[in-house]
Amino acid sequence: MNRGILYICPTPIGNLEDITLRTIRILKEVDLIAAEDTRHTIKLLNHYDIKKPLISYHEHNKKSKGELLIEKLKSGENIALVTDAGMPGISDPGEDLIRLSIEEGIEVIVLPGPTASIAALVISGLPTDKFVFEGFLPSKKRDRIKELERLKSETRTIILYEAPHRLLTLLKDMEKVLGNRQISISRELTKLHEETFRGYLSEGIEKFETQKPKGEFVLIVKGAEIKEEDLFEGINIKEHIKLYMEEGLSKRDAVKKVAEDRGISRNLVYKESINIE
């Protein structure tokens, strides 16, 4: 018997028009749709006149329902996995079902679509070439501070999620641990009341002390500044010279550049270069 396919189907993060034609087709073709909240998903299905059986699959039933869904996939049923908004598997129990399917040799096909984290990053105005996604930080203050301490030296742009009732507390903890960093805070992306605040943490705190946070938030935080002395941490002078020579510099020019980088005498660098071919 042929096994079924698990389709990972992103759903709109706000505007119902933000769904691909392929996702609509797959949702109409599968045998079953596994949804985080069936009451939420049925609104989307009704909007596109999709009439398929729904089964709930969420954080509190993922073990039992996950086993059931795997059996259905093994028996040949095709299943679409959706979340309330965005890409299933990102800060979402869909991660477990995807892993189980892979372990069981079931084909998993992901469809491209909306993701709040990337949308917020793109409009933040902060560096997008390198970034790290951290999702929701711990709700307990001690654990949250510990995570922020870990992120203090992170030089990549940081993406975080936060619920409205914890937003102000998180911002204050971030300012305390990370300093007054640049930040972009997006809420209600693609919805009628979409809003993005850009500024510094102190300004964000001031804003949300006077304006009650509403909606789900994506925070984009500028990474730590790279200190010049940190650029060469972990490599010795000889390795530093070789790096420049591998980039095409002559040994003489590499010695000169290393001395400038490190703020040390050229003679000292030259001595380290003697045995380099």
Side-chain angles (χ1 to χ4, degrees):
M1 179 183 292
N2 291 331
R3 294 187 168 201
I5 298 172
L6 176 65
Y7 290 95
I8 313 304
C9 296
T11 53
I13 58 176
N15 193 314
L16 289 180
E17 294 179 357
D18 295 333
I19 188 169
T20 67
L21 295 174
R22 185 183 177 202
T23 298
I24 293 172
R25 175 177 63 81
I26 292 297
L27 290 174
K28 288 180 176 180
E29 291 178 354
V30 293
D31 300 295
L32 180 67
I33 298 172
E36 184 179 7
D37 186 336
T38 56
R39 296 165 301 179
H40 184 90
T41 300
I42 196 66
K43 297 175 184 177
L44 175 68
L45 300 186
N46 288 340
H47 184 80
Y48 287 102
D49 195 29
I50 298 170
K51 303 184 187 304
K52 287 292 176 178
L54 280 169
I55 184 172
S56 67
Y57 176 80
H58 50 72
E59 185 63 34
H60 304 294
N61 71 1
K62 64 183 181 182
K63 188 176 188 304
S64 59
K65 289 295 179 70
E67 292 170 356
L68 174 63
L69 291 170
I70 291 295
E71 290 306 311
K72 288 182 176 295
L73 287 161
K74 285 181 176 179
S75 70
E77 290 189 41
N78 292 324
I79 298 175
L81 174 67
V82 302
T83 186
D84 285 351
M87 178 66 76
I90 304 295
S91 292
D92 171 80
E95 175 188 357
D96 288 39
L97 183 59
I98 293 166
R99 183 174 61 251
L100 282 172
S101 297
I102 293 169
E103 290 173 355
E104 292 289 343
I106 294 165
E107 185 176 5
V108 180
I109 295 177
V110 63
L111 280 59
T115 307
S117 56
I118 299 301
L121 173 66
V122 169
I123 64 170
S124 69
L126 293 173
T128 61
D129 57 332
K130 294 179 182 178
F131 57 90
V132 56
F133 176 76
E134 290 288 331
F136 289 94
L137 293 186
S139 56
K140 291 184 179 179
K141 187 177 182 69
R142 183 174 63 179
D143 295 337
R144 185 168 59 251
I145 294 293
K146 185 178 179 180
E147 286 298 293
L148 288 171
E149 290 286 357
R150 178 178 62 82
L151 292 170
K152 189 174 182 178
S153 58
E154 175 59 69
T155 57
R156 294 170 292 181
T157 301
I158 302 165
I159 305 176
L160 300 172
Y161 285 165
E162 192 51 279
H165 64 281
R166 291 201 301 259
L167 177 67
L168 191 56
T169 300
L170 174 60
L171 293 176
K172 289 179 177 179
D173 286 344
M174 289 170 66
E175 185 184 35
K176 180 180 177 182
V177 177
L178 305 180
N180 195 20
R181 298 266 186 100
Q182 275 186 274
I183 189 168
S184 172
I185 305 171
S186 295
R187 61 180 286 272
E188 302 291 273
L189 285 170
T190 79
K191 297 180 182 178
L192 181 62
H193 300 292
E194 175 181 335
E195 178 187 14
T196 293
F197 161 84
R198 301 176 185 88
Y200 288 84
L201 277 166
S202 59
E203 296 169 329
I205 292 168
E206 184 178 348
K207 173 182 173 65
F208 291 107
E209 280 181 332
T210 57
Q211 175 186 318
K212 185 178 179 181
K214 293 180 181 179
E216 296 299 315
F217 289 85
V218 185
L219 288 70
I220 311 297
V221 189
K222 188 173 183 181
E225 295 291 339
I226 301 176
K227 297 177 182 177
E228 197 157 324
E229 59 267 26
D230 293 338
L231 291 172
F232 317 114
E233 187 177 349
I235 63 170
N236 59 38
I237 295 174
K238 187 172 289 187
E239 290 169 336
H240 198 165
I241 297 167
K242 287 180 179 179
L243 282 175
Y244 279 128
M245 291 177 67
E246 287 170 4
E247 291 177 5
L249 292 183
S250 66
K251 185 192 289 190
R252 179 180 177 181
D253 288 340
V255 167
K256 180 181 177 182
K257 195 78 172 66
V258 169
E260 291 173 357
D261 287 346
R262 293 179 176 255
I264 57 180
S265 75
R266 198 177 302 181
N267 285 339
L268 179 59
V269 180
Y270 173 75
K271 289 177 182 177
E272 294 291 328
S273 73
I274 292 173
N275 295 322
I276 298 177
E277 296 298 328

